[in-house]
Amino acid sequence: MQTFLRFHLYLVSLVIVFSSCDAFNTKVPSSEIKKATQWSSKDQFPSFPECEGMNGDELIACFSTVVSENVEAYLSAQELQANTPIETTIEVKLLVDKAGMITLDSFDDPDGIASLVTDFEAYLNEAIAGLPQAEPAVKTNVGTSVNVALKLPITIVAQPEE
């Protein structure tokens, strides 16, 4: 009986030693992770129903056009006002999440548009929030939806305040 207990104690000790060993550590080299997560031409860019059947640059152009036209139409309908007439293009950084929801991350404002146009940032956020939900981007080598950050040009037109 003592031999039986010793054997089990020895066996349990071995299991504890081996389970804490680095031999079971399955680290993936960072170079492989970087390679697997880089965007490739085979990956699916976010899309809208209007862009169905398009691929590559044609899909990117369609997606960009839908976003730009919707945002610019919304901003135009708001009749933006500023101290002086403004017609310029800004670059907005958008996030398309795994569910296809689009949000404003930031925007480049080299001409200080946000300070010149009354309530500009609030209008821009409303315009982005009003976009239709997109089909999310898909990383095809792992077959899962992914978050994507995009930069798109948006034309801003504002008239002098009356």
Side-chain angles (χ1 to χ4, degrees):
M1 184 76 168
Q2 251 187 357
T3 307
F4 181 74
L5 283 173
R6 280 188 187 165
F7 174 74
H8 276 76
L9 185 58
Y10 177 73
L11 187 61
V12 168
S13 298
L14 279 176
V15 168
I16 291 171
V17 168
F18 282 116
S19 66
S20 65
C21 180
D22 277 342
F24 293 104
N25 195 351
T26 57
K27 292 183 181 176
V28 177
S30 63
S31 62
E32 288 183 36
I33 292 172
K34 186 174 182 178
K35 182 179 175 185
T37 57
Q38 286 180 336
W39 194 261
S40 78
S41 61
K42 295 178 185 177
D43 294 329
Q44 182 183 336
F45 196 77
S47 183
F48 291 111
E50 304 85 315
C51 307
E52 191 172 322
M54 297 179 187
N55 293 312
D57 290 342
E58 186 180 31
L59 175 61
I60 294 169
C62 178
F63 183 87
S64 299
T65 299
V66 170
V67 170
S68 295
E69 286 178 354
N70 277 284
V71 170
E72 289 171 7
Y74 179 86
L75 294 175
S76 178
Q78 304 312 308
E79 298 180 4
L80 301 179
Q81 295 189 346
N83 295 334
T84 61
I86 295 174
E87 185 167 348
T88 189
T89 300
I90 63 167
E91 197 169 78
V92 295
K93 183 176 179 186
L94 303 175
L95 299 176
V96 182
D97 70 13
K98 295 176 185 180
M101 297 304 297
I102 303 171
T103 56
L104 176 66
D105 180 49
S106 62
F107 61 95
D108 292 336
D109 192 11
D111 299 325
I113 299 301
S115 63
L116 298 175
V117 177
T118 307
D119 298 324
F120 174 72
E121 196 163 349
Y123 285 130
L124 184 58
N125 275 307
E126 290 171 9
I128 302 297
L131 288 171
Q133 185 169 344
E135 293 294 321
V138 176
K139 191 76 176 113
T140 56
N141 63 337
V142 289
T144 188
S145 298
V146 294
N147 297 331
V148 177
L150 310 165
K151 283 188 176 183
L152 297 174
I154 302 292
T155 302
I156 308 299
V157 178
Q159 300 304 319
E161 297 175 1
E162 295 177 9

